[in-house]
Amino acid sequence: MNQSLIDYTLNLADNSLILGQRNSEWCGHGPVLEQDIAITNISLDLIGQARNFYQYAATLIGNDATEDSLAYLRKEEEFKNCILVEQPKGDWAQTILRQFFFSQYQYLLFQQLQNSKDEQLAAIAEKSLKEVTYHLRWSSEWVIRLGDGTDESHQRMIKAIDELWKYTDEFFSATSYELRAASNGSGVDISKLKEPWMNKIKEIFSEATLTIPGKTLIQTSGKEGKHSGHLGNILTELQYMQRTYPGCDW
Amino acid sequence: MATLDLEKIFLGKIDNEIKIEPKDWMPDAYRKTNIRQVSQHAHSEIVGMLPEGAWISRAPSLKRKAILIAKVQDEAGHGLYLYSACETLGITREETINDLHSGKAKYSSIFNYPTKTWADIGAIGWLVDGAAIMNQVMLTRTSYGPYARAMVRICKEESFHQRQGFEILLVLSKGADEQKAMCQDAIDRWWWPSLMMFGPHDSESTNSEQSMKWKIKRKTNDELRQNFVDMCAEQVKVIGMKLPDNKLKWNEERMHYDFGEINWDEFWNVVKGNGPCNKERLDARKKAWDEGEWVREAAAAHTEKRKNRKAA
Amino acid sequence: MNNYLRKFYYGDIPEDKAGGNIVSSDSKSDWPLWEVFIRSKQGLDHKHVGSLHATDAQMAMENARDVYTRRMEGVSLWVVESKYIHASNPEEAGELFEPAADKIYRHPTFYDLPDEVNQM
């Protein structure tokens, strides 16, 4: 059993699932109907990605593992999503800013990953790239609209940057399984993604009349199972049915 | 042209199954009735997202989660098609939404009931969407063009909703004892409210006669309700459950199912706004709208800025 | 009988009376109405499918994609701000369209051709 590859895949799956779950909280509560549909669409795309990655991880693990056993029965410390995606959805500014940070990261990551030596990962990355391209476009436009909109929206964007910026370093600090995957050609060297990621952020922020904060980034290691208090709350809801009625079909 | 002539042309179109389009002359009452009906239909779709949306985070499998999100998203889309159709009648979306929030406009009272368990999601799909489909198929032939076309779009998407609901219940009915009990309990709670969706008896329905004449409505409340009972009484056998009506019995003479009387007190109470979740639903919609104000303003402001820069 | 008639000819009447933009023209958060037209992969024409609210063409395009193309592959989308659509006045339908009705020689079925060339 290739534990590194499994962990690598679970990280990708968990990121998409947890963010998909957070975004779906907007369903029925969006600021305008058309955007309710847009954010829900993104949520659906992310859950689709998660399912693909979980299904692959399940085949790697073998035994009785399924996409659902991985999503519904693992404990908090076994989840490998980064801290950024488990943060609350906040207001619209926070949601679209987080989406922008994440989508730009996924875009760069999947662009590389589609050349992975691992056929499955390559296939999933290639398939997901189209929708990620759309997520990136949609969220960057919103960053610009809100950054360069009204005084209120500008202030809210500043607050959102203040809240979320510190978690972005985790995108580029590799865990042991990421290093392993990169070195054997199945994964991506994420430290190399930092510069292009920053360039895009700078480009969009500039048009949005926003600035990159000079703050220190904090070291977070959700990817290694060390989560903030938020993941526990998310999993309580997400896993509720399967834990309350174990062993059932739905 | 004299009004009487315009009215003759209008009625001629109705009688000849020619659709009335946005810029055609129409009696004011026809316009108002359509605005009322179309906007209430739109509000129902949007408010309907809430009881089901509540279970997205707790859906018991990833597949169910994805399906539920897609379904709720469809409902948002349906609301959108209907608000669009409504706007062709000369009212803005903002006005219709204000009417909803102020309590002036109604929405389908079925959504004022809580979704207590996962099985409720199945029951809503099977019964509530099932009832809606009956109504909607009839409405694809409604006389107002944009409304009819929106209904055609909606009907194409709606059958997936009913099927996924029935499938949820089917799986439960074959599962553990707790799941079977959950299934029956949900049916017990959603059956009568679903029958109420068809509205009051024909004899009590104030708008019915004129609506039938103008072909806004093509079948009466009681007709549709009877068809629905007949259909569900058969379908419930497939999942091995019971409908909570001990008066339900096949009548060989009528070739229809006889069924019990609806609790009209409950019906009118919920319609008036005293249902279990009326306040909660409206509050959620108001909150979303109010909290979204700054977003809508910002987007409009940004577009304005861009226009001015271009002009400069 | 007093009928209050409100007619909306998209694009032909001033802003404050245009369909969908009547109330509170000073409302800072009003998003204009756009009409959506779609041509499916196999189709030849763009068909009108409905409308939506957006602040600019880019948003309108994305919203249209999100709302109206979830079940389709490979489409072409047109979005037009409703106020820019000029529509024929139904009261003038007589003079605009009836003259064409009696010029049946414009229709291919008018011509009775021998079987060998009837596919034309």
Side-chain angles (χ1 to χ4, degrees):
Chain A
M1 191 152 78
N2 187 345
Q3 193 57 50
S4 269
L5 183 59
I6 291 168
D7 289 344
Y8 190 76
T9 309
L10 286 176
N11 157 254
L12 296 170
D14 292 340
N15 274 345
S16 293
L17 176 67
I18 300 301
L19 186 54
Q21 177 90 348
R22 276 301 193 207
N23 283 344
S24 71
E25 290 173 17
W26 279 104
C27 202
H29 305 280
V32 69
L33 199 50
E34 287 83 346
Q35 296 305 322
D36 210 304
I37 295 174
I39 190 77
T40 314
N41 235 355
I42 292 179
S43 188
L44 209 46
D45 285 343
L46 290 168
I47 289 171
Q49 289 169 14
R51 293 187 68 197
N52 286 330
F53 286 123
Y54 282 131
Q55 282 162 22
Y56 181 42
T59 60
L60 293 172
I61 295 169
N63 299 328
D64 301 325
T66 63
E67 57 173 352
D68 285 338
S69 69
L70 293 171
Y72 287 83
L73 301 177
R74 277 184 302 148
K75 298 199 186 75
E76 232 178 281
E77 57 268 21
E78 295 172 84
F79 271 77
K80 298 184 175 7
N81 56 283
C82 60
I83 297 291
L84 179 69
V85 298
E86 63 192 58
Q87 298 307 301
K89 75 186 199 297
D91 64 3
W92 192 248
Q94 278 196 51
T95 287
I96 59 104
L97 183 66
R98 182 207 357 231
Q99 192 63 52
F100 172 53
F101 287 162
F102 184 76
S103 294
Q104 172 59 6
Y105 167 70
Q106 265 198 330
Y107 179 73
L108 296 168
L109 180 67
F110 287 175
Q111 259 191 333
Q112 303 279 339
L113 197 60
Q114 59 180 343
N115 302 319
S116 166
K117 285 208 174 92
D118 182 303
E119 277 175 16
Q120 269 293 80
L121 289 181
I124 300 173
E126 193 189 331
K127 181 182 185 292
S128 309
L129 200 51
K130 282 198 188 101
E131 52 199 36
V132 169
T133 307
Y134 183 75
H135 302 169
L136 180 59
R137 171 180 147 167
W138 179 87
S139 56
S140 4
E141 284 164 13
W142 270 107
V143 170
I144 294 169
R145 257 179 225 129
L146 297 183
D148 190 22
T150 55
D151 285 335
E152 177 168 7
S153 68
H154 187 82
Q155 286 310 312
R156 284 182 185 254
M157 281 305 287
I158 291 176
K159 187 158 173 282
I161 295 170
D162 205 49
E163 259 305 308
L164 301 174
W165 182 254
K166 52 185 173 286
Y167 301 118
T168 58
D169 191 57
E170 197 174 353
F171 285 150
F172 315 109
S173 24
T175 55
S176 55
Y177 57 78
E178 282 169 310
L179 288 171
R180 197 95 186 262
S183 71
N184 69 29
S186 52
V188 174
D189 179 359
I190 51 177
S191 62
K192 291 220 167 77
L193 302 182
K194 185 163 184 172
E195 206 188 308
W197 186 87
M198 269 301 235
N199 288 339
K200 180 72 171 180
I201 307 305
K202 281 186 186 147
E203 179 199 320
I204 299 297
F205 270 25
S206 163
E207 204 180 329
T209 71
L210 295 165
T211 46
I212 308 262
K215 298 192 169 203
T216 348
L217 302 157
I218 57 177
Q219 299 295 314
T220 52
S221 32
K223 297 196 289 194
E224 264 155 12
K226 302 193 180 83
H227 295 280
S228 73
H230 296 300
L231 186 63
N233 289 329
I234 293 173
L235 293 182
T236 304
E237 281 203 23
L238 200 157
Q239 300 183 336
Y240 165 71
M241 286 297 286
Q242 291 230 6
R243 291 202 184 274
T244 312
Y245 303 97
C248 289
D249 281 329
W250 301 98
Chain B
M1 216 192 276
T3 310
L4 274 161
D5 290 325
L6 290 168
E7 199 176 356
K8 250 171 87 179
I9 295 176
F10 167 78
L11 286 170
K13 285 186 183 149
I14 303 268
D15 292 336
N16 289 307
E17 303 287 345
I18 294 173
K19 296 288 176 222
I20 309 296
E21 297 298 342
K23 289 176 274 62
D24 293 345
W25 182 90
M26 59 186 84
D28 208 46
Y30 178 84
R31 186 186 297 278
K32 285 207 172 74
T33 302
N34 271 299
I35 288 178
R36 181 185 57 82
Q37 197 169 314
V38 178
S39 63
Q40 280 179 197
H41 196 164
H43 296 325
S44 300
E45 297 282 351
I46 303 311
V47 175
M49 291 169 73
L50 296 171
E52 290 180 290
W55 275 91
I56 289 174
S57 63
R58 290 173 292 170
S61 73
L62 293 181
K63 177 177 149 194
R64 293 288 170 210
K65 195 191 285 285
I67 291 173
L68 186 56
I69 292 178
K71 181 190 193 259
V72 179
Q73 194 188 35
D74 267 358
E75 268 142 37
H78 295 173
L80 198 62
Y81 305 154
L82 291 163
Y83 281 130
S84 301
C86 209
E87 286 195 84
T88 64
L89 288 160
I91 184 171
T92 63
R93 197 196 293 181
E94 178 136 20
E95 274 178 287
T96 55
I97 286 177
N98 286 339
D99 286 347
L100 172 68
H101 294 172
S102 69
K104 186 173 159 209
K106 301 267 171 286
Y107 54 92
S108 189
S109 43
I110 191 85
F111 300 116
N112 291 318
Y113 292 89
T115 41
K116 291 187 174 161
T117 70
W118 171 249
D120 287 36
I121 302 300
I124 288 177
W126 175 43
L127 298 173
V128 177
D129 287 317
I133 287 173
M134 283 211 141
N135 210 25
Q136 280 159 197
V137 169
M138 175 209 38
L139 287 170
T140 54
R141 291 160 43 226
T142 197
S143 56
Y144 187 58
Y147 192 17
R149 290 188 288 273
M151 294 318 305
V152 169
R153 260 208 113 72
I154 289 175
C155 282
K156 282 201 181 111
E157 300 177 358
E158 200 74 51
S159 71
F160 136 61
H161 297 183
Q162 195 186 20
R163 291 172 75 87
Q164 64 86 47
F166 194 74
E167 204 203 17
I168 288 175
L169 297 179
L170 189 60
V171 172
L172 292 177
S173 72
K174 296 188 168 134
D177 287 342
E178 286 172 305
Q179 288 178 297
K180 289 180 186 158
M182 201 195 282
C183 181
Q184 184 62 65
D185 171 67
I187 294 173
D188 289 346
R189 281 181 291 103
W190 286 91
W191 174 245
W192 290 104
S194 301
L195 290 193
M196 292 179 205
M197 278 177 76
F198 295 99
H201 276 312
D202 296 344
S203 47
E204 319 268 333
S205 180
T206 46
N207 298 305
S208 256
E209 211 185 304
Q210 187 62 282
S211 289
M212 292 293 286
K213 181 172 162 217
W214 281 339
K215 295 190 181 170
I216 294 176
K217 225 169 151 155
R218 302 303 297 250
K219 276 197 181 174
T220 70
N221 295 352
D222 287 330
E223 271 180 287
L224 290 171
R225 191 174 4 245
Q226 179 67 71
N227 290 344
F228 182 68
V229 173
D230 291 341
M231 183 180 78
C232 294
E234 291 302 313
Q235 289 173 341
V236 77
K237 294 176 187 171
V238 175
I239 47 178
M241 298 281 150
K242 284 200 169 67
L243 294 177
D245 182 359
N246 50 22
K247 295 227 169 69
L248 186 71
K249 201 155 157 228
W250 178 252
N251 185 321
E252 193 63 40
E253 272 177 54
R254 293 198 306 128
M255 291 296 273
H256 284 294
Y257 273 90
D258 288 334
F259 57 99
E261 195 57 44
I262 291 171
N263 178 350
W264 293 108
D265 285 334
E266 185 185 332
F267 173 79
W268 289 113
N269 219 10
V270 176
V271 166
K272 284 196 182 102
N274 299 323
C277 298
N278 287 59
K279 188 165 187 308
E280 190 187 315
R281 303 281 179 241
L282 271 186
D283 283 348
R285 290 307 308 156
K286 277 186 215 163
K287 184 165 184 275
W289 184 253
D290 292 338
E291 288 183 359
E293 177 71 20
W294 71 267
V295 179
R296 299 189 296 274
E297 252 184 61
H302 176 75
T303 299
E304 201 53 42
K305 281 187 187 176
R306 281 232 293 255
K307 268 194 206 148
N308 295 337
R309 275 175 216 150
K310 248 191 180 162
Chain C
M1 186 154 51
N2 202 7
N3 278 309
Y4 174 50
L5 302 173
R6 273 172 27 182
K7 294 189 239 186
F8 298 98
Y9 307 138
Y10 297 115
D12 290 320
I13 46 184
E15 272 289 316
D16 57 334
K17 291 198 178 75
N21 280 326
I22 331 156
V23 164
S24 49
S25 48
D26 60 345
S27 172
K28 294 167 288 175
S29 53
D30 256 358
W31 287 12
L33 192 64
W34 297 71
E35 303 298 325
V36 181
F37 302 81
I38 300 188
R39 178 174 60 74
S40 66
K41 210 176 185 178
Q42 309 84 6
L44 295 169
D45 311 312
H46 283 77
K47 292 198 170 88
H48 180 245
V49 290
S51 60
L52 47 82
H53 286 269
T55 54
D56 54 61
Q58 209 151 30
M59 196 199 282
M61 197 69 81
E62 284 164 17
N63 289 343
R65 176 258 196 204
D66 283 337
V67 178
Y68 291 104
T69 70
R70 276 169 300 138
R71 286 172 166 81
M72 286 189 232
E73 302 285 348
V75 298
S76 168
L77 270 175
W78 288 354
V79 292
V80 187
E81 234 184 292
S82 310
K83 69 184 187 197
Y84 292 121
I85 295 186
H86 295 262
S88 55
N89 179 345
E91 277 162 27
E92 289 159 14
E95 69 232 31
L96 281 176
F97 305 121
E98 264 161 47
D102 59 3
K103 296 187 175 55
I104 56 175
Y105 48 79
R106 287 198 177 122
H107 289 265
T109 46
F110 178 74
Y111 301 93
D112 204 2
L113 300 178
D115 283 333
E116 302 89 74
V117 294
N118 215 11
Q119 271 69 260
M120 212 184 284

